Amino acid sequence: MFRLIGYLFGIGTILFFIVALGVAMYVGALTRDLPDYEVLSTYEPPVTTRIHAADGTLMAEHARERRLYLPIQAIPDRVKAAFLSAEDKNFYQHNGLDYTGLVRAVITNIENYSSGKRPVGASTITQQVAKNFLLTSERSYDRKIREAVLAFRIEQAYSKDRILELYLNEIFYGLNSYGIASAALTYFNKSVNELNLQEAAYLAALPKAPSNYHPYRRTDRAITRRNWVIDRMVDNGYVKAQDAEDAKAQPLGVNPRRGGSHLFASDYFAEEVRRQIIGRYGEDALYEGGLSVRTTLDPELQIMARRALQRGLIRYDVQQGYRGPVSTVITDGDWGAAVAAVEPLRDVPEWRLAVVLEADDEKATVGLRPSRTASGKVAEDRDTVTLNGADMKWAYRIKTDNERKKVKAVSDILKPGDVVYVEEIKSDEGEAKHILRQPPEVQGALAALDPHTGRVLALVGGFSYAQSQFNRATQAMRQPGSAFKPFVYAAALDNGYSPASVVLDAPIQLVSGGELWQPKNYGGGSAGPSTLRLGIERSRNLMTVRLAKDMGMNLVAEYAERFGIYDDMLPVLAMSLGSGETTVLRMISAYAVLANGGKQIKPSLIDRIQDRYGKTIFKHEERTCDACMVTDWQNQDEPQVVDTREQVLDPMTAYQVTSMLEGVVTRGTAAGKVKLGRAAAGKTGTTNEEKDAWFVGYTPDLVAGVFIGYDTPTPMGRGSTGGALAAPIFNEFMTAALVDKRPVDFRVPPGLQLIPINRKTGMEAEPGGPDVIYESFKPGTGPADFFSVIGEEFVTGEEILNVSPQANRAIISGAGGLY
């Protein structure tokens, strides 16, 4: 008997060793090519890039995986307790595998085998880290064995806190949200530190299967799972029973955070910043690098710029008449659902879509587009308002296919089923009414910057980013027209001319490439011999062409490139009238040089960029101040900021041009349009057939430029000049931007002389006469001793461009500078 037992024991021992050897060989084969778990020590997950305004307000986020990485020390104990209770309550006790949970899972799977239920797992948090970081999601026993081996090795190499940190920052929570910090923002628009008990429990419920616990599609199931997590937290001693009951009685409270731009009116600015970051560092850095970008945007100025531009575009558009509804729908049945299907301009919240329900001669009843719930369902509200015919006189002119006709009744304008925009406005007495609106066809741009630093403070690239993402401030290449003339005059004043120099304002003919070019002043006519001041104040084309011809277009081209208006300007006379193409941002940067005393600036939308570790990798400010870094004061002098910017224009020349541009505002083409009640300078610009209207101007500490025009250059109608269209927008913006700022005069460089002259003849005059002004002269210069006129000899010119006749005709036909 004993011999039999010994025999069987021997056989069993041999079989045991054979099986053990087989298992060892099997496991060894599976784990021979395991991934290197040491990569976890240098783990850099894809992290969200965040873009902020100058005041720190979040503007936009960009990510392929929306994730913000948090160290374990920054994650509250309550949040950690929720995840441990939901996923691995023995995390801090086991060595990578939870054997009790493993046995329980095996028994459950045996019981479920016959019923065809899905197998359950018993993965610890460490095993999930191994799977998520180093393995695939394949469901197989081979993968589970590899996962278990890796879990043991990870536990030996890293602390529990490090493993939990990796887990909480890596896992997917649904709604394109990765990591606990991003999930808290995505679901509740809160930081992790602000999460309450029920919110933390809901987030802890999500990693198991986010789609199964969707807050809107699976609300009941989500609440059940959340409450289960809360109960586990009670069982594990993390939460008191009463607090748990209070938390379970609460709704989910999900408040999704919208993507894209988070700061109102910042879409054009944020998109330009996005493009610049990609251009500088590439897409991977933007969408995975976790950059922190501090921009130059002033949110208050941005809203002012948006409002001024939109109002200006609407003013012009209503003069063109009504073009018809946004869309048409069938109003039988639930008109609310029908109009809700039409997408509004999301960045124009002042306007609301509405469907016409009925209309008669005097008024129309419209149903306002209902709102939507957080889950995207159409809300129950069905509100109606009345549009009065007296408030839509502009719409009685109907424009279709470039044809206009007049009607007399509201019912001729609006038909049942028409979907239109309406805006609620209030009178000074507080009475509210709704008026008809339509998105304008004409477009434009407004940008403003600090002339001393180049920081772009506001940038609006069109009426609505939702309507068109094309940024007309940075991407639209348009002719500046007469807004370019100050740089022709700056070149002259920097090279021997003075504001009192006299140029002939008379007809001129120029022949080039067999083509005859006869530039004209806006409105025709000429004034004869006139000073440079009068020429720029009244925007005289004939004078500008003669002045440019007298000093040579090569000099003008050099200055235009020096100011950054063009990269490679053709030195042809037509270009002196602004017939080249440039952008609003380039123009305001060039005017900033005039405003700051001739210093070159680099316009920038970005102040600073930091990488995911907080290291600064870009800084716009190039000036240095070593003495600013001292830790204490020891009677040393006040620190001085070293300005390394290039001086591209004589400060005296810059002031002379500024003084002349002040005359544009007070007496010239912008007189009565720009009324800031403080020192201001600027220049209008209008191109041939009024296809482009400009105004660029500045005060001592703020520069702004406005452009108006159709995206496909189209005549805007006689009188649609820079003074009529763009200058009022500039005035509205600057008035609002400077309302709380103390008035400051333009800074006069030392050494300039102010001498009374006759502003028509340029000769010295006795003070007090009707045409006498004080003109600024550089040291060693002054009014002419005798009357001489520049340009008298130019009656018929020679060739002005040594290129093909076809190219020459294109430049001449595009010559702007009409007003």
Side-chain angles (χ1 to χ4, degrees):
M1 183 67 179
F2 288 106
R3 184 179 297 177
L4 177 62
I5 293 175
Y7 178 74
L8 293 176
F9 178 78
I11 294 175
T13 301
I14 294 172
L15 290 175
F16 172 79
F17 280 111
I18 292 174
V19 171
L21 179 62
V23 169
M25 294 177 62
Y26 174 66
V27 172
L30 285 178
T31 59
R32 186 177 300 120
D33 57 346
L34 279 178
D36 184 3
Y37 59 87
E38 291 185 359
V39 299
L40 298 180
S41 63
T42 58
Y43 172 60
E44 290 187 352
V47 179
T48 301
T49 288
R50 310 185 87 197
I51 299 175
H52 301 266
D55 64 355
T57 306
L58 180 64
M59 287 175 56
E61 296 176 309
H62 300 287
R64 294 193 178 103
E65 295 181 0
R66 193 181 301 164
R67 176 188 286 107
L68 301 173
Y69 196 92
L70 281 183
I72 194 65
Q73 296 84 355
I75 301 175
D77 290 340
R78 171 175 285 177
V79 174
K80 289 187 281 188
F83 281 86
L84 293 176
S85 298
E87 295 292 329
D88 189 357
K89 69 177 183 178
N90 298 318
F91 173 71
Y92 280 97
Q93 285 75 49
H94 63 63
N95 61 353
L97 292 180
D98 185 352
Y99 299 103
T100 303
L102 184 61
V103 171
R104 185 167 53 247
V106 170
I107 295 172
T108 302
N109 287 334
I110 292 173
E111 293 175 349
N112 292 343
Y113 179 77
S114 59
S115 61
K117 292 183 179 179
R118 184 176 180 176
V120 299
S123 294
T124 64
I125 285 177
T126 312
Q127 288 177 275
Q128 293 185 56
V129 168
K131 180 187 70 174
N132 292 334
F133 285 83
L134 305 172
L135 301 172
T136 68
S137 296
E138 173 194 3
R139 287 184 171 275
S140 69
Y141 290 108
D142 288 354
R143 197 266 295 166
K144 292 296 290 184
I145 293 172
R146 290 161 61 88
E147 178 186 294
V149 173
L150 278 173
F152 279 122
R153 295 180 180 178
I154 290 172
E155 287 274 349
Q156 294 171 358
Y158 301 102
S159 68
K160 288 286 188 178
D161 281 348
R162 173 59 176 169
I163 296 169
L164 184 59
E165 176 183 303
L166 291 170
Y167 171 76
L168 292 175
N169 282 285
E170 172 67 17
I171 52 180
F172 178 58
Y173 292 81
L175 301 185
N176 194 32
S177 179
Y178 294 79
I180 183 61
S182 177
L185 289 170
T186 300
Y187 283 91
F188 299 108
N189 201 16
K190 292 181 177 181
S191 69
V192 172
N193 290 323
E194 297 173 310
L195 294 174
N196 57 36
L197 172 58
Q198 60 266 24
E199 291 165 346
Y202 176 61
L203 294 182
L206 290 171
K208 184 176 180 65
S211 61
N212 288 344
Y213 308 114
H214 193 279
Y216 302 121
R217 293 195 294 267
R218 304 285 180 87
T219 305
D220 292 341
R221 185 180 292 184
I223 292 175
T224 299
R225 176 69 178 176
R226 179 203 67 180
N227 293 346
W228 178 85
V229 174
I230 295 174
D231 288 337
R232 299 292 75 74
M233 294 176 73
V234 174
D235 294 342
N236 296 328
Y238 295 120
V239 177
K240 294 180 181 179
Q242 185 57 52
D243 292 338
E245 292 304 316
D246 293 341
K248 290 194 293 184
Q250 301 300 317
L252 283 179
V254 170
N255 177 29
R257 187 182 200 183
R258 71 183 183 91
S261 177
H262 299 285
L263 183 63
F264 178 63
S266 68
D267 300 84
Y268 283 110
F269 198 107
E271 173 59 17
E272 181 62 23
V273 170
R274 187 192 71 86
R275 292 175 62 247
Q276 290 188 12
I277 294 174
I278 290 177
R280 183 174 287 151
Y281 302 111
E283 288 193 5
D284 288 345
L286 175 69
Y287 293 108
E288 298 181 358
L291 303 177
S292 176
V293 183
R294 178 63 64 93
T295 72
T296 60
L297 178 73
D298 184 317
E300 292 185 0
L301 290 186
Q302 181 71 11
I303 291 174
M304 296 173 189
R306 169 190 177 271
R307 180 170 59 244
L309 180 64
Q310 285 189 342
R311 285 162 60 94
L313 295 176
I314 291 170
R315 276 196 301 271
Y316 172 82
D317 186 70
V318 296
Q319 296 173 5
Q320 312 309 305
Y322 179 64
R323 292 186 300 277
V326 175
S327 181
T328 57
V329 299
I330 298 174
T331 56
D332 296 340
D334 184 7
W335 56 263
V339 71
V342 181
E343 285 299 317
L345 296 176
R346 59 171 178 78
D347 57 344
V348 190
E350 303 92 335
W351 294 8
R352 193 167 172 181
L353 283 173
V355 59
V356 178
L357 302 177
E358 56 183 32
D360 57 26
D361 290 349
E362 303 294 333
K363 64 183 182 304
T365 301
V366 300
L368 299 178
R369 183 181 187 269
S371 57
R372 289 183 179 272
T373 64
S375 62
K377 295 181 179 179
V378 179
E380 298 297 327
D381 54 300
R382 298 291 185 272
D383 299 326
T384 61
V385 297
T386 299
L387 302 180
N388 292 313
D391 298 322
M392 60 175 78
K393 293 296 185 184
W394 64 272
Y396 282 65
R397 301 186 306 276
I398 297 178
K399 179 182 178 181
T400 56
D401 298 327
N402 293 323
E403 294 184 2
R404 289 182 171 86
K405 66 177 181 178
K406 288 187 176 182
V407 297
K408 297 182 179 180
V410 173
S411 57
D412 294 328
I413 304 170
L414 303 176
K415 309 291 184 184
D418 284 354
V419 178
V420 296
Y421 281 103
V422 298
E423 180 182 9
E424 182 182 23
I425 60 173
K426 292 184 178 180
S427 65
D428 295 336
E429 293 75 25
E431 296 181 359
K433 64 178 178 180
H434 286 78
I435 60 174
L436 180 67
R437 290 298 195 193
Q438 70 177 359
E441 283 187 333
V442 72
Q443 286 291 351
L446 191 159
L449 59 70
D450 181 335
H452 307 294
T453 63
R455 300 175 71 250
V456 179
L457 305 175
L459 185 146
V460 185
F463 177 79
S464 162
Y465 186 79
Q467 179 190 32
S468 168
Q469 297 181 15
F470 182 62
N471 192 332
R472 296 153 191 89
T474 60
Q475 294 176 294
M477 301 295 294
R478 304 297 291 238
Q479 296 176 346
S482 291
F484 176 74
K485 287 178 182 174
F487 306 101
V488 178
Y489 285 74
L493 295 172
D494 223 25
N495 289 275
Y497 299 80
S498 80
S501 297
V502 177
V503 179
L504 181 62
D505 181 25
I508 184 174
Q509 296 181 0
L510 296 162
V511 178
S512 176
E515 295 289 328
L516 179 65
W517 181 42
Q518 295 177 283
K520 293 181 174 59
N521 291 323
Y522 189 84
S526 56
S530 303
T531 61
L532 293 192
R533 174 177 286 276
L534 282 178
I536 199 167
E537 287 182 356
R538 298 178 181 177
S539 199
R540 296 293 187 177
N541 295 332
L542 299 174
M543 287 181 62
T544 303
V545 170
R546 278 189 169 83
L547 177 64
K549 188 166 181 63
D550 185 63
M551 62 178 164
M553 279 303 297
N554 286 326
L555 183 62
V556 175
E558 177 193 335
Y559 273 73
E561 293 166 15
R562 185 188 300 181
F563 279 79
I565 300 173
Y566 305 114
D567 291 328
D568 188 15
M569 173 178 157
L570 286 173
V572 298
L573 281 175
M575 295 289 284
S576 69
L577 300 182
S579 63
E581 295 181 337
T582 188
T583 67
V584 173
L585 186 58
R586 284 194 169 208
M587 287 298 292
I588 64 172
S589 302
Y591 272 74
V593 177
L594 302 176
N596 69 23
K599 290 283 190 181
Q600 180 66 279
I601 63 149
K602 297 178 182 178
S604 179
L605 282 71
I606 301 173
D607 264 340
R608 185 185 65 203
I609 301 176
Q610 294 171 286
D611 64 16
R612 67 171 70 208
Y613 303 109
K615 179 184 177 181
T616 297
I617 59 176
F618 169 81
K619 185 172 66 172
H620 169 63
E621 180 59 78
E622 296 179 348
R623 295 178 297 177
T624 60
C625 180
D626 295 334
C628 295
M629 305 304 294
V630 296
T631 57
D632 59 349
W633 182 66
Q634 298 178 354
N635 297 314
Q636 67 264 40
D637 293 334
E638 181 179 340
Q640 297 295 318
V641 177
V642 179
D643 193 346
T644 58
R645 295 176 299 174
E646 181 184 359
Q647 189 79 39
V648 296
L649 187 68
D650 186 330
M652 294 187 180
T653 300
Y655 179 78
Q656 287 178 318
V657 176
T658 294
S659 177
M660 294 162 67
L661 295 181
E662 285 186 276
V664 174
V665 171
T666 55
R667 296 179 297 272
T669 54
K673 303 297 184 181
V674 178
K675 299 173 287 186
L676 301 182
R678 63 178 70 217
K683 185 68 186 75
T684 55
T686 311
T687 61
N688 280 351
E689 298 180 300
E690 290 91 356
K691 293 179 180 178
D692 306 89
W694 291 73
F695 187 86
V696 188
Y698 52 95
T699 61
D701 299 310
L702 185 62
V703 182
V706 179
F707 154 75
I708 303 294
Y710 290 98
D711 284 342
T712 300
T714 304
M716 292 186 289
R718 190 66 175 172
S720 298
T721 62
L725 297 184
I729 298 174
F730 170 89
N731 184 71
E732 180 177 343
F733 167 70
M734 294 292 275
T735 298
L738 301 172
V739 65
D740 295 326
K741 302 293 189 298
R742 181 175 61 87
V744 178
D745 291 330
F746 286 108
R747 300 158 182 87
V748 183
L752 272 178
Q753 309 172 72
L754 295 179
I755 301 175
I757 67 166
N758 184 299
R759 68 189 185 93
K760 293 183 177 179
T761 65
M763 305 292 288
E764 189 169 358
E766 292 295 326
D771 291 320
V772 175
I773 63 170
Y774 279 87
E775 194 61 85
S776 56
F777 292 90
K778 298 176 183 177
T781 67
D785 295 329
F786 58 92
F787 187 72
S788 64
V789 181
I790 298 169
E792 286 183 309
E793 69 276 20
F794 298 143
V795 178
T796 301
E798 53 195 42
E799 287 196 3
I800 63 173
L801 181 62
N802 295 320
V803 296
S804 69
Q806 294 84 355
N808 188 57
R809 282 195 295 272
I811 291 174
I812 290 178
S813 65
L818 291 177
Y819 189 40

